[in-house]
C-alpha cells in the first residue's frame, strides 16, 4: 500500500526544515511534526518589546561554506553582525577570542612578538606534547594566566566538570590570534537574519504541512505508517528506548528580563568567566541587530546538569558517552527507511552551518539529485 507521504520529518528544527525544503523541491510530499508548540527548534526567535529574542540562547550564523551561505540567504536577509563577545572576569573586561587586545589587557604587551614570548614563558613549565584534556590544551595554546582568568571558570561552569575531564577539541573551537581582531569566528560569512530565525525557517518550510505539539515516539507506529521514509531529528537514545543507557547532555536555563534602559551592557554577549558568578553569560538581544528600541531585553544563561525530561542542548562528548553513542549509531545504520540527523539525532556538537550542510548532503544522497 502506498503511504500518504514520501517523508515524515520528526522535528521542525534546522535539520528537518532544510531536508523538507529539498524534498519538496524534488517533488516529494512531506509532513513535519514537532513536540513543541513552535517551529525552528532551538534557533527559535520571538519578538519582545520589538526586539528579536533568541529564546534558546544566542545563535550567530557563520560559515566558510559558500553553498551553505547562499542557501540560507534565499530565506532571509542577514545583517552584518560580527560576534565579538567580551569576558568579564571579576569586573575586568577582556576581548574575545584570545587576540592582541586580550594579551595587551592581560600583560600590557603591544606587539605579537612580545605576546608570543609571554605565552611561551608561561607554557614552558607545563607544556605537553599531546594534550589529553582541555586544561592541557588550553595552557599549551595561551598560557596559564588566560587559562585561569578566561577559560577555567567558564568551561567548568559550562560543562559541570573539571577541565581535566573535558576533551581538548572543545577549546579548539576558539581562535587564538596575534592580530587586533575581535571577530570570534574565522569564517568569511557571518550574520543574523534581520527578521529572526523563525521567519527564516517559516520560509524554508512554506507550503509543507506541519503538526505541532505532536510527540512522534508516543504513537510511533501510527506515524510510521503515514510515510515511506522518516527523518528523525530527536534524541537517538530515546528512539531506541535507551537500550544502551541514557546519553548525557548539558542543559541550559534562561532568565529573561525586560529592562527599562536602552543599553544595559553595551554588547550582545558578555561572558562571566569566573567560577563564582552562577551564570555563564548575559545576552542583550537588541545588540544582535543594532537595535535602537527604548527598552532592552537581557537573558542570563545558566548551564545546568541535564536529567531525563529536561531540554537537551549540548551532547557530552566524553569517552563514556561517545562509546555509548557508537552502539546507537550501529543501530541507526541498520534501521531501514529512517534518517537520523541533527544535534540530537547524531549526538553531535553541531554549529548551525554544519547542520545545514549535513541536511543538504543527506537530501542530495537520498533524493538522488546530484
Ligand atoms: N571558552 C572559554 N571562555 C570563554 C568562551 C569560551 O574558555 O569566555 C571555551 C570553553 O571551553 C567553552 C568553549 O570555549 O566550552 C566553547 O564556548 P562557546 O561559548 O563558544 O560555545 P557555544 O555555547 O557558543 O557553542
Amino acid at each position: 500500500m502506498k503511504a500518504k507521504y514520501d517523508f515524515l520529518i520528526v522535528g521542525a528544527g534546522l535539520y528537518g526544515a532544510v531536508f523538507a525544503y529539498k524534498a519538496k523541491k524534488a517533488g516529494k510530499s512531506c509532513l513535519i511534526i514537532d513536540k513543541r508548540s513552535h517551529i525552528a527548534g532551538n534557533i527559535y526567535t520571538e519578538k519582545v518589546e520589538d526586539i528579536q529574542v533568541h529564546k534558546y540562547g544566542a545563535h550567530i550564523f557563520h560559515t566558510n561554506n559558500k553553498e551553505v551561505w547562499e542557501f540560507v540567504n534565499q530565506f532571509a536577509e542577514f545583517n552584518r553582525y560580527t560576534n565579538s563577545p567580551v569576558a568579564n572576569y571579576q569586573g575586568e573586561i577582556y576581548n574575545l577570542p584570545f587576540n592582541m587586545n586580550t594579551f595587551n589587557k592581560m600583560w600590557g604587551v603591544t606587539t605579537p612578538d612580545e605576546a608570543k614570548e609571554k605565552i611561551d614563558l608561561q607554557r614552558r613549565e607545563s607544556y605537553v606534547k599531546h594534550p589529553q584534556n582541555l586544561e592541557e590544551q588550553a595552557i599549551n595554546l595561551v598560557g596559564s594566566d588566560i587559562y585561569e582568568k578566561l577559560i577555567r571558570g567558564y568551561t567548568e561552569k559550562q560543562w559541570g566538570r573539571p577541565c581535566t575531564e573535558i576533551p581538548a577539541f572543545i577549546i579548539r573551537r576558539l581562535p587564538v590570534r596575534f592580530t587586533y581582531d575581535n571577530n570570534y569566528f574565522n569564517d568569511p560569512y557571518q550574520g543574523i537574519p534581520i527578521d529572526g530565525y523563525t521567519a527564516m525557517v517559516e520560509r524554508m518550510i512554506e507550503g509543507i504541512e506541519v503538526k505541532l505539539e505532536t510527540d512522534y515516539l508516543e504513537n510511533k507506529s501510527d506515524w510510521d505508517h503515514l510515510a515511506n521514509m522518516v527523518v528523525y531529528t530527536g534524541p537517538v537514545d530515546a528512539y531506541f528506548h535507551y537500550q544502551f543507557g541514557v546519553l548525557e547532555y548539558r542543559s541550559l536555563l534562561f532568565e529573561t528580563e525586560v529592562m527599562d534602559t536602552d543599553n544595559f551592557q553595551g554588547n550582545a554577549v558578555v561572558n562571566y568567566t569566573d567560577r563564582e558568578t552562577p551564570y555563564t553569560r548575559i545576552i542583550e538581544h537588541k545588540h544582535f541587530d543594532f537595535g535602537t528600541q527604548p527598552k532592552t531585553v537581557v537573558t542570563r544563561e545558566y548551564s545546568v546538569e541535564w536529567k531525563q525530561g529536561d531540554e537537551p542542548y549540548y551532547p557530552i562528548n566524553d569517552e563514556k558517552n561517545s562509546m555509548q553513542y557508537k552502539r546507537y549509531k550501529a543501530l541507526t545504520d541498520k534501521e531501514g527507511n529512517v534518517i537520523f540527523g541533527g544535534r540530537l539525532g547524531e549526538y553531535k556538537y553541531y554549529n548551525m552551518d554544519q547542520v545545514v550542510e549535513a541536511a543538504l548532503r543527506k537530501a542530495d544522497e537520498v533524493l538522488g539529485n546530484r
Side-chain angles (χ1 to χ4, degrees):
M1 209 180 82
K2 198 180 168 321
K4 191 169 173 206
Y5 300 95
D6 294 311
F7 292 97
L8 170 73
I9 293 160
V10 181
L14 193 54
Y15 190 99
V18 169
F19 191 96
Y21 170 81
K22 293 284 282 184
K24 178 169 184 269
K25 204 168 165 218
K28 306 291 182 193
S29 57
C30 300
L31 170 64
I32 302 176
I33 62 174
D34 198 297
K35 212 154 83 161
R36 286 183 175 159
S37 59
H38 61 75
I39 61 163
N42 280 2
I43 64 174
Y44 177 74
T45 47
E46 71 182 17
K47 268 198 167 170
V48 178
E49 298 291 338
D50 205 33
I51 297 164
Q52 291 289 354
V53 169
H54 297 217
K55 238 356 235 270
Y56 301 90
H59 283 85
I60 299 126
F61 201 96
H62 58 96
T63 186
N64 61 15
N65 183 325
K66 195 167 183 197
E67 182 195 343
V68 166
W69 183 240
E70 284 172 355
F71 177 81
V72 293
N73 272 268
Q74 296 174 83
F75 308 102
E77 189 183 334
F78 281 72
N79 68 19
R80 59 160 188 84
Y81 180 78
T82 300
N83 196 28
S84 313
V86 298
N88 181 324
Y89 177 78
Q90 299 181 347
E92 296 169 19
I93 296 289
Y94 294 91
N95 286 110
L96 295 172
F98 312 123
N99 72 83
M100 284 305 297
N101 290 304
T102 328
F103 307 142
N104 173 260
K105 181 80 186 259
M106 189 70 69
W107 302 308
V109 296
T110 56
T111 66
D113 279 349
E114 283 168 16
K116 283 179 189 161
E117 201 179 310
K118 195 82 194 170
I119 291 173
D120 267 356
L121 205 68
Q122 292 207 350
R123 67 179 169 197
R124 200 164 295 156
E125 290 154 32
S126 43
Y127 188 80
V128 261
K129 200 159 179 203
H130 301 292
Q132 295 301 311
N133 59 55
L134 195 141
E135 177 172 294
E136 292 175 358
Q137 176 77 43
I139 297 176
N140 266 7
L141 272 179
V142 285
S144 50
D145 285 349
I146 290 184
Y147 173 66
E148 291 298 340
K149 287 190 167 181
L150 304 182
I151 299 175
R152 190 211 282 258
Y154 184 89
T155 307
E156 296 194 348
K157 285 193 287 190
Q158 198 177 39
W159 297 99
R161 57 198 74 200
C163 286
T164 46
E165 290 173 23
I166 299 170
F169 83 88
I170 284 176
I171 196 85
R172 283 188 223 121
R173 289 165 61 83
L174 280 193
V176 176
R177 285 194 201 110
F178 293 91
T179 53
Y180 288 92
D181 178 1
N182 295 327
N183 185 345
Y184 200 61
F185 303 116
N186 284 326
D187 291 332
Y189 310 107
Q190 182 170 183
I192 292 178
I194 288 171
D195 58 356
Y197 286 101
T198 307
M200 177 181 92
V201 172
E202 231 160 46
R203 285 182 212 110
M204 252 178 223
I205 61 177
E206 204 182 303
I208 299 173
E209 201 180 329
V210 181
K211 281 194 203 310
L212 296 173
E213 295 176 319
T214 301
D215 190 335
Y216 168 71
L217 294 177
E218 256 173 28
N219 295 300
K220 183 174 176 303
S221 66
D222 291 351
W223 292 112
D224 287 344
H225 282 111
L226 282 182
N228 294 322
M229 209 163 192
V230 174
V231 178
Y232 177 82
T233 70
V236 60
D237 53 350
Y239 184 96
F240 293 108
H241 311 287
Y242 306 102
Q243 57 180 278
F244 301 135
V246 173
L247 290 171
E248 295 171 295
Y249 291 89
R250 287 299 285 173
S251 194
L252 298 173
L253 273 185
F254 299 106
E255 226 174 60
T256 297
E257 194 185 336
V258 178
M259 289 178 145
D260 210 0
T261 168
D262 65 339
N263 190 4
F264 169 70
Q265 63 180 13
N267 206 34
V269 184
V270 178
N271 290 354
Y272 285 78
T273 55
D274 66 305
R275 194 69 186 83
E276 292 69 39
T277 306
Y279 38 84
T280 49
R281 49 192 164 193
I282 302 184
I283 307 303
E284 186 169 9
H285 300 268
K286 71 191 310 177
H287 296 310
F288 285 123
D289 202 25
F290 315 101
T292 54
Q293 299 85 346
K295 291 193 180 181
T296 196
V297 182
V298 303
T299 301
R300 288 181 180 75
E301 182 177 318
Y302 298 81
S303 179
V304 294
E305 197 66 47
W306 172 87
K307 316 177 289 319
Q308 234 172 315
D310 293 347
E311 292 290 354
Y313 285 88
Y314 296 97
I316 307 272
N317 294 104
D318 63 6
E319 203 160 327
K320 170 177 163 260
N321 286 287
S322 306
M323 292 303 287
Q324 216 163 301
Y325 172 64
K326 266 197 193 140
R327 301 182 71 189
Y328 283 116
K329 172 80 173 68
L331 291 187
T332 68
D333 293 339
K334 280 190 244 146
E335 190 80 356
N337 298 329
V338 185
I339 294 162
F340 293 82
R343 240 188 212 212
L344 306 180
E346 297 175 67
Y347 196 63
K348 202 166 173 181
Y349 190 2
Y350 265 141
N351 287 327
M352 283 182 284
D353 64 321
Q354 297 169 319
V355 168
V356 172
E357 190 178 342
L360 288 174
R361 288 241 171 88
K362 187 51 89 175
D364 284 340
E365 183 191 314
V366 173
L367 301 162
N369 54 353
R370 209 170 239 215

